[in-house]
Amino acid sequence: MKLAARLAAPVAALALAGLTACAPQTSDNSSAGEDEKTGTLRVWLFQEVSNEPKQQVVDKVVAAFEKAHDGAKAKVEYIPVETRAQRIKAAFNDPESAPDVIEYGNTDTAGYVKDGGLADVTTEFNGWSDAESSDPTAKTSVTVEGKVYGAPFFVGVRALYYRTDVFEELGLEVPKTLDQLAATAKQIRAAKPDLYGLVVGGAYTYGAMPFVWANGGEIAEGKGGSYASTIDSAAARKGIEAYTSLFGDDNCPAAKCAGMGGNDTVTAFAAGKAGMAIGGDFSHAAVEAGKVKGRYAVVPLPGVKSGSVAPAFAGGNNVGVLKSTKHRTLAVDLMKRLTSKETQGELFDAMGFLPTYTDVRAEAAKEEPFIEPFVKTLSSGTKFVPASSAWAQIDASLVLPTMFQEVVSGKKDVAEASEDAAKQMNDAFGSAG
């Protein structure tokens, strides 16, 4: 039985109570107080590699929305993820042609709020029964300075993929600590020089950061929109050292691995070129389609202490309402319907998107065993990027990948590279105000 079907009965009751009531007004509506209850809402969602399953789920949501609101329609357009920044920023500057509801990357929240594009939906979100089960990190990804600017849509995390056949052949045990992980990687490389032990990438920020977080380091610290980088702290440097020590002829040669990003490492593992890799729940389909199908397993990436889990970056997308909408009540209702427990259950069935609700994820894990290690990783505690509009600049400037690559290449030591990265981050935080 599919997850969505099991959820449908209890969720339908919640939906009836929580979604059809008129949303309370807030002072955030900048459309001269307009809140039209009829007309056409424009919706921008991201185009997936295989979009038809997503579209079928969304079409069902839209049909229910239109049935619930006489005279209201929703027109959905699927936009490329790669060009989202330009299109969404242009929409913020041109309210007349802007959508009412958008899907956006969860690292984009603070920047879009600073641009004045997203509506504050704190009251509606906090009064919504579904939201009570939201994963704390997912909720953080829609929150800026204590106010909520959307609803979490799905979440993604990374864990450790490993070759069961290689481990069995070499008599290896699954690593229980990061130190054991490094030692096991080097054992594989020594026994099988044609394989990377653990394939790593110098441009793979979210594969590297669990090593920093597991050692007690952080990207930055602060609150109220004001941040200061801590990537050069003693704890963070220990994590940087642990990650960059994996680049070498005894595991993943720097000449080949320094330039790799996350997709490159997963591709190498799927092609049978590595004993282990750090990949996401969203990497499962690619690995299944590769040469290692039936010869791999996944466990949470271990932490520093035996039995612990290294904190993973909680990626994913959100759905928000634009501040310029002239249909605020309708737009908030559609946002809730698109991100409800029932819809997220259907999107998991259709696309494999991990739900942002803890109870829905638990049901998903029972249905599809492959996501169990990712659910365990999420429940063990995840991390997120600083909720600052500066993050977009820091990310686009490749501050962290450059830091890792400078260490891997021998251009700088850990202390100098992390100090330089911290200075660049602080310049960005300072310019963001």
Side-chain angles (χ1 to χ4, degrees), residues 98-118:
D100 300 272
V101 177
I102 60 169
E103 177 179 355
Y104 63 94
N106 64 7
T107 59
D108 295 328
T109 308
Y112 289 171
V113 170
K114 186 185 180 185
D115 290 341
L118 295 175

Side-chain angles (χ1 to χ4, degrees), residues 1 79 82 138 161 190 198 205 224 246 286 311 318 358 381 415 419:
M1 186 179 182
I79 67 172
E82 298 78 17
Y161 285 71
L198 169 66
T205 301
L246 295 166
N318 303 323
T358 53
E419 186 177 339

Side-chain angles (χ1 to χ4, degrees), residues 212 217 230-242 244 414-416 418-419:
V212 174
T230 53
I231 199 66
D232 58 344
S233 69
R237 286 175 175 175
K238 193 171 181 181
I240 296 166
E241 178 64 44
T244 55
V414 171
E416 185 182 3
S418 61
E419 186 177 339

Side-chain angles (χ1 to χ4, degrees), residues 263-275:
N263 287 346
D264 299 319
T265 64
V266 170
T267 299
F269 182 81
K273 296 178 181 177

Side-chain angles (χ1 to χ4, degrees), residues 162-169 269 275 292 294-298:
Y162 71 95
R163 287 275 297 277
T164 51
D165 56 339
V166 172
F167 272 62
E168 184 177 348
E169 180 187 340
F269 182 81
V292 298
R295 295 184 289 138
Y296 74 93
V298 186

Side-chain angles (χ1 to χ4, degrees), residues 327-343:
H327 303 88
R328 182 188 171 93
T329 297
L330 291 174
V332 169
D333 180 44
L334 185 53
M335 174 194 77
K336 288 181 177 180
R337 289 174 182 271
L338 285 167
T339 60
S340 70
K341 290 186 177 184
E342 183 175 6
T343 302

Side-chain angles (χ1 to χ4, degrees), residues 154-159 161 279-285 352-354 370-371 374-375 378:
F154 66 86
V155 67
V157 290
R158 294 164 177 84
Y161 285 71
D281 54 279
F282 41 84
S283 307
H284 177 256
F353 289 170
L354 267 183
F370 86 84
I371 72 158
F374 301 103
V375 172
L378 281 162

